[in-house]
Amino acid sequence: MPRPGARDPQAPVATADVSTAAESMPRGQRSAARPIPALTLVSHPTAARIGERLLLQGLLAGREVALSRNAPDFTRPGEPLGLPLGDPFLSRKPVLFVPVGEGVRVVPGDEGRCTCAGEPLHGGREFGPEELARGVPLEFSGRTVLLLHLAPPPEAHAPASLGMVGQSAALHGLRRHIERVADVDVPVLIRGETGAGKELVAQALHARSRRGGPFISVNLGAIPKELAAAELFGSVRGAFTGAQRDREGFFRAAQGGTLFLDEVGEASPEVQVMLLRVLETGEMYPVGASRPVATDVRLVAATDADLEAQIADGRFRAPLLHRLAGYELRIPPLRERREDIGPLFLHFARQELEALGEAHLLTPSDPYAPPWVPAALAVRLLLYPWPGNIRQLRNVAKQLVIGSRGQSFLELDARLAQELRLPQTAPHRTPPPGAPTPAPAPEPEAAARRKSTEVGEEELLAALRAHDWDVKKAAHHLGIARSSIYDLIERSPSIRLAGDLSVEELTLCFHACGGNLDEMVRRLEVSKRALNRRVKELGLVPKDA
């Protein structure tokens, strides 16, 4: 494993939180890298234009920006030329984007022709920095949908795409970190939710470091635990019942290349010990062998599990985590980079259309035809939390294309509509300056539609993450009583309570997040209300207190 001159495996672990590109920059450069409000096309009469972008740079200089059917031009990132919206159904009166502090006020030209999540913007509406960070879907004339969001500033030397679709700040940051660590001979641990694209990141690391060697991908969760050691490290003839010949094993198959171990949290105790030895010495013992075998393999591991919680429960070895995470990458979930949803959907849809011989639907000749991606569907795609991330989006795109085969636009059937149902929450409005902030209306307890026994651990975890660990909203989404969700959390070994957090972990996280409770919730994955209580018990003052 480690070659001469490689990084000392005992050195401190390097962690790359790639949630924003600015966070990866030196402190003195961050002010120059201020995000720019931008508009990204998600639905348009010419579907092939999905993903084109307009940077509202005038807002940073304190100027308003006017948007009409004829100007300004939308371009693809990296391309110098573009086109205006050009939809003949758009009003001739421009929509104004006006800077208001760190937010943006959107003033429609025609009343009722511009909506946000189905609600008309009568007289205009202001969107604050938090809403811009999440992304605001704007629908024009029931045909064109634009996402108002924050984009990274243009760079003279932008990172290569690395086979990843999207231009969000989070994805830019991830690409930067891949470029930095790819040619450094250290193990890499990739963290991210299910379906976020961990293997794609591993392939990018391999392509920039050991392109000439093999890339071997292994899902530890899919290998029977009693066979895992022999499958990974090989075995000699007669090592166990049924071993009638020598087995090479995945490590030797990946010699000179990259071995990608997905779901590394599923490794058995025996495999964990053997992995630790390989990482420490660069040698391994095939099952039943008496002599070690040297290895030259770049090890990349991935997990969506909370390995620290597994260490606390005695199910994962802390030294192994420290060895695996020579450098750590976090893949942002799709809901944290909504501006990438449109381009990703177009990418997957185009693949299916080309296979069906219907790619012409993306570039219709009639500008008056209804959009191939209906505006209501585009808004639903943007607002859906995507617990299955990119894998789920790809599957939805495939089903929509095949299910709408032979039609001039996509049609959402009842089953997909149920899958993509949105949380029933009122749209958030930013009050005008000086207006009193209204008290939040109490949310009624939803009647239980399901039994708690019908909810699996994976579905529970996805619902909690989708609703930022708001237990009440997660229970409503799952259709179970709020009291039942606490019982499910108690019985789930993968989910922690705020009371389970040590004082040291809480204090370190508090200072790492600058006292921001929302960021602490995302990192620790516990209820915000309970976390706030624990923080105050320690005498710490949250940032938003």
Side-chain angles (χ1 to χ4, degrees):
M1 294 285 309
R3 302 183 203 168
R7 171 188 174 278
D8 181 3
Q10 295 285 3
V13 173
T15 301
D17 185 346
V18 294
S19 56
T20 65
E23 288 174 351
S24 65
M25 296 183 177
R27 188 182 301 267
Q29 297 179 13
R30 293 185 186 175
S31 58
R34 180 181 171 186
I36 303 173
L39 294 167
T40 293
L41 275 169
V42 187
S43 176
H44 189 271
T46 302
R49 295 189 59 186
I50 290 173
E52 292 182 9
R53 175 179 294 182
L54 171 65
L55 295 178
L56 305 175
Q57 292 178 306
L59 297 180
L60 298 186
R63 302 191 304 269
E64 65 181 31
V65 177
L67 174 69
S68 70
R69 69 170 73 168
N70 299 318
D73 289 350
F74 283 71
T75 61
R76 292 209 173 273
E79 296 184 5
L81 301 177
L83 293 169
L85 288 177
D87 184 358
F89 284 86
L90 292 181
S91 170
R92 294 182 181 276
K93 296 181 180 179
V95 178
L96 298 181
F97 294 85
V98 183
V100 182
E102 296 184 4
V104 177
R105 183 171 182 81
V106 181
V107 183
D110 274 352
E111 293 292 330
R113 302 289 292 273
C114 178
T115 63
C116 174
E119 185 176 351
L121 301 185
H122 293 304
R125 187 188 306 175
E126 179 183 334
F127 299 98
E130 291 185 1
E131 292 169 286
L132 296 178
R134 289 194 300 268
V136 179
L138 301 174
E139 182 180 338
F140 297 93
S141 301
R143 291 167 53 87
T144 300
V145 175
L146 301 172
L147 184 72
L148 174 62
H149 62 94
L150 296 177
E155 302 177 61
H157 303 288
S161 68
L162 303 178
M164 304 174 191
V165 177
Q167 295 295 330
S168 62
L171 200 56
H172 269 268
L174 177 59
R175 289 171 175 143
R176 286 287 187 209
H177 284 289
I178 291 173
E179 289 180 340
R180 291 168 184 165
V181 74
D183 61 349
V184 182
D185 198 21
V186 296
V188 175
L189 177 63
I190 304 170
R191 300 217 194 199
E193 296 179 4
T194 179
K198 295 185 282 292
E199 184 165 350
L200 190 62
V201 172
Q203 290 172 342
L205 288 167
H206 171 75
R208 298 183 74 85
S209 59
R210 297 196 171 202
R211 182 187 298 272
F215 178 85
I216 305 296
S217 176
V218 181
N219 188 325
L220 289 178
I223 303 176
K225 293 190 181 298
E226 61 273 13
L227 299 177
E231 292 284 350
L232 284 173
F233 307 103
S235 61
V236 299
R237 180 180 178 182
F240 52 87
T241 302
Q244 299 178 357
R245 57 183 176 83
D246 290 351
R247 182 193 297 266
E248 181 183 52
F250 290 122
F251 263 96
R252 278 188 281 186
Q255 190 75 357
T258 302
L259 179 61
F260 174 56
L261 297 182
D262 199 5
E263 295 191 31
V264 72
E266 298 294 323
S268 66
E270 176 190 14
V271 168
Q272 290 183 40
V273 172
M274 298 176 78
L275 277 175
L276 186 57
R277 176 179 177 82
V278 175
L279 288 165
E280 288 178 339
T281 67
E283 297 180 337
M284 67 177 186
Y285 280 89
V287 177
S290 57
R291 294 183 179 179
V293 176
T295 65
D296 176 20
V297 173
R298 172 74 178 273
L299 190 63
V300 179
T303 184
D304 60 357
D306 186 343
L307 296 183
E308 288 78 8
Q310 291 189 11
I311 290 171
D313 294 340
R315 291 180 290 138
F316 201 83
R317 298 174 65 89
L320 177 58
L321 172 58
H322 301 153
R323 294 286 183 177
L324 289 172
Y327 198 84
E328 189 172 309
L329 296 173
R330 174 184 173 268
I331 304 180
L334 196 53
R335 64 182 174 275
E336 291 182 7
R337 51 188 187 106
R338 287 181 179 172
E339 59 267 43
D340 292 338
I341 291 175
L344 278 165
F345 182 82
L346 177 63
H347 173 74
F348 296 133
R350 177 180 276 119
Q351 291 178 339
E352 295 303 319
L353 287 170
E354 289 175 349
L356 296 173
E358 296 185 351
H360 62 278
L361 294 173
L362 298 178
T363 53
S365 56
D366 182 7
Y368 292 89
W372 183 68
V373 180
L377 173 60
V379 172
R380 187 183 290 245
L381 294 176
L382 289 172
L383 296 180
Y384 182 67
W386 298 107
N389 289 289
I390 297 174
R391 184 186 296 123
Q392 184 184 11
L393 177 62
R394 180 176 57 195
N395 185 53
V396 166
K398 177 182 293 188
Q399 294 187 68
L400 280 168
V401 170
I402 296 176
S404 306
R405 189 176 183 184
Q407 299 181 181
S408 59
F409 58 89
L410 295 176
E411 186 173 4
L412 192 65
D413 62 28
R415 191 197 62 78
L416 266 182
Q418 177 66 13
E419 178 183 340
L420 299 177
R421 66 187 186 276
L422 301 176
Q424 297 299 313
T425 55
H428 174 72
R429 291 191 181 193
T430 301
T437 302
E443 298 181 20
E445 177 78 18
R449 304 185 303 274
R450 304 169 64 190
K451 297 179 180 178
S452 60
T453 53
E454 298 174 3
V455 179
E457 183 176 342
E458 184 175 349
E459 184 183 6
L460 170 64
L461 189 56
L464 287 167
R465 286 171 172 166
H467 295 282
D468 295 326
W469 293 83
D470 187 310
V471 175
K472 183 188 295 185
K473 291 181 180 179
H476 180 84
H477 174 81
L478 293 169
I480 61 176
R482 185 167 46 153
S483 57
S484 299
I485 200 170
Y486 288 111
D487 295 335
L488 289 174
I489 292 173
E490 286 278 5
R491 295 198 299 266
S492 175
S494 301
I495 300 177
R496 295 187 295 176
L497 298 174
D500 300 331
L501 302 172
S502 68
V503 173
E504 181 182 7
E505 184 178 11
L506 270 171
T507 305
L508 287 174
C509 186
F510 180 87
H511 292 297
C513 298
N516 188 309
L517 269 182
D518 291 327
E519 180 62 25
M520 292 181 69
V521 168
R522 283 190 287 270
R523 293 195 184 193
L524 298 173
E525 296 199 321
V526 294
S527 162
K528 181 177 180 179
R529 181 179 297 179
L531 180 63
N532 187 36
R533 187 164 53 247
R534 284 293 313 276
V535 166
K536 290 181 178 179
E537 287 173 356
L538 297 176
L540 302 173
V541 181
K543 186 177 180 180
D544 55 353

